[in-house]
Amino acid sequence: MAIDKLHECQLEKAARLIETADMMLFVTGAGMGIDSGLPDFRGNQGFWRAYPALARSGIDFISIASPRAFRRHPEVAWGFYAHRLNLYRQTTPHVGYDILRQWSEDNPYGSMVFTSNVDGHFQKAGFAANQVTECHGSIHYLQCLGACNPDIWPADGFMPVVDEANCLLLNEPPRCPHCGGLARPNIYMFGDDEWLEERTLAQRRRLEHWLRDAERLLVIEIGAGTAISTARDFTHRMAFDLHAPVIRINPQDAAIFGNTSHVSLEMGGLQALQAINAFCEP
Ligand SMILES: [Zn+2]
């Protein structure tokens, strides 16, 4: 997409906000992963393009991303999540993550991340674990499907083998070390009463503590959509409660109201970050 005059003005305004902030909060959703080549699950078409085996069976994202799917069809539910685990492990986060890290390194109070993505890509891109809040959990952690105890443990030892054409896990799924039952990803799913949220709550407490010092906080929101709005809701809380200016980057629904200092960029994440960076002082 060519950058027109209107965007140029917004990009310049964004660069000035970055230069004057003393702490930054990066709020991201699924759109942040697209530029790394990760699939977009928005709408059945996007989801089924990524998982043709599930399309053949008429299984949509909401049905497979549920504890019920792990009970009814564990090999298919794990086929879906194990494929994603392998994909997120193999994929390199795009250079937009490096741009965010550079910006935050110049800040007295640094940066924190609030993301609805479960891919662990901020940590993979060099952000410290204690900078990140994963509001929907992480695919790199496991818990007991029956939630027999509060343990959440890393998935590092699990090396899944997946029949991608049929979306099936071929090797043994991970087991709960306490009851021997099936383990599942520590991700907040649809219709999920058993998600163990302690890991996310601990991240959240750290973030809230950091926010207490906020004076010149800047929120940069990237690829956070309206369909599952947890990330966007957090941006709005920062804008209203802490009067933080917001740079919202999204190819659709980028508008943001309430404060003339906000910047709205109807663009993809990586393109916008590179374009803003070009306006920042070296
Ligand atoms: Zn158990």
Side-chain angles (χ1 to χ4, degrees), residues 9 56 76 94 97 124 141 156 170 201 208 250:
C9 174
R56 285 198 301 278
V76 182
H94 60 77
Y97 288 87
K124 196 170 185 180
Y141 286 82
D156 298 353
L170 296 178
L201 288 176
E208 298 290 347
N250 212 58

Side-chain angles (χ1 to χ4, degrees), residues 41-120:
F41 295 156
R42 271 176 295 187
N44 278 341
Q45 291 319 314
F47 175 68
W48 282 338
R49 237 192 328 274
Y51 294 95
L54 298 180
R56 285 198 301 278
S57 313
I59 300 174
D60 61 16
F61 181 46
I62 291 174
S63 313
I64 197 70
S66 72
R68 210 161 77 140
F70 277 89
R71 294 206 165 84
R72 285 188 168 181
H73 312 287
E75 65 297 333
V76 182
W78 257 123
F80 171 62
Y81 278 99
H83 171 260
R84 289 174 64 190
L85 177 60
N86 284 340
L87 184 68
Y88 298 162
R89 280 175 176 170
Q90 288 155 11
T91 304
T92 304
H94 60 77
V95 296
Y97 288 87
D98 302 324
I99 293 174
L100 295 180
R101 228 185 40 239
Q102 279 165 24
W103 289 345
S104 70
E105 277 167 9
D106 297 333
N107 265 268
Y109 295 97
S111 68
M112 293 287 265
V113 173
F114 182 95
T115 183
S116 59
N117 297 336
V118 298
D119 53 29

Side-chain angles (χ1 to χ4, degrees), residues 70 78 81 85 89 138-145 150-158 173-177 182-187 196 199:
F70 277 89
W78 257 123
Y81 278 99
L85 177 60
R89 280 175 176 170
S138 167
I139 203 163
H140 303 288
Y141 286 82
L142 301 170
Q143 65 162 85
C144 176
L145 179 62
D151 265 13
I152 298 165
W153 65 94
D156 298 353
F158 176 43
R175 296 269 160 202
C176 169
L182 193 67
R184 54 165 264 192
N186 181 231
I187 292 175
L196 297 174
R199 183 174 170 273

